Amino acid sequence: MQLNGDFRVTGVKDTDYKGIVRLEMEGSSGITIALEYPRDIIGVDIKQGDNVRVSINNDKDPNYASNWDVYMNGIVYYVSEGLVKVSIGGLIMDINNFKNDVKIGEKVYVGLKLIK
């Protein structure tokens, strides 16, 4: 699986879990991402209206510490027409309107970088 692009944060919603928020992001290509995000633990405060560069890739970035504000890994566990679900340590990421090749069981690395 590979997805790279800039996304605008359209919503930040509380969840039932303390310190976890649900980020909703929209890209210019029509792809939307909803990500359960451990804001309090990671300490990177992503707000509604922020622009975020997102990378989802099967290969680990050897320079992840300098390239990304947030870097996580997960497993694709659900694929249907236009919807991909990834489990990141139990947190869920939904990718809507994704049209490229992806398979259940793929390991993916997710990078987020706030665009200033």
Side-chain angles (χ1 to χ4, degrees), residues 35-50:
L35 170 65
E36 293 176 349
Y37 174 68
R39 178 178 57 199
D40 293 354
I41 293 169
I42 293 178
V44 177
D45 190 16
I46 299 174
K47 299 180 184 82
Q48 186 167 334
D50 284 348

Side-chain angles (χ1 to χ4, degrees), residues 7-11 23-27 31-35 46 50 52-54 93-94 112:
F7 289 77
R8 183 160 186 81
V9 179
T10 58
L23 299 178
E24 296 174 348
M25 300 177 278
E26 187 173 298
I31 292 176
T32 61
I33 297 174
L35 170 65
I46 299 174
D50 284 348
V52 178
R53 180 154 296 132
V54 176
M93 177 171 60
D94 297 331
L112 304 175

Side-chain angles (χ1 to χ4, degrees), residues 98-113:
F98 186 77
K99 307 273 192 252
N100 295 337
D101 194 35
V102 60
K103 292 178 181 57
I104 292 173
E106 280 185 61
K107 183 170 186 173
V108 294
Y109 295 90
V110 180
L112 304 175
K113 178 84 172 176

Side-chain angles (χ1 to χ4, degrees), residues 7-30:
F7 289 77
R8 183 160 186 81
V9 179
T10 58
V12 178
K13 298 180 178 175
D14 289 328
T15 67
D16 292 338
Y17 305 102
K18 184 177 179 178
I20 307 290
V21 296
R22 183 174 173 88
L23 299 178
E24 296 174 348
M25 300 177 278
E26 187 173 298
S28 60
S29 65

Side-chain angles (χ1 to χ4, degrees), residues 1-4 54-61 68 71-74 93 106-111:
M1 175 175 189
Q2 187 164 342
L3 172 64
N4 296 294
V54 176
S55 171
I56 304 171
N57 203 309
N58 297 111
D59 299 317
K60 185 174 182 178
D61 181 348
W68 304 102
Y71 201 71
M72 308 173 285
N73 68 69
M93 177 171 60
E106 280 185 61
K107 183 170 186 173
V108 294
Y109 295 90
V110 180

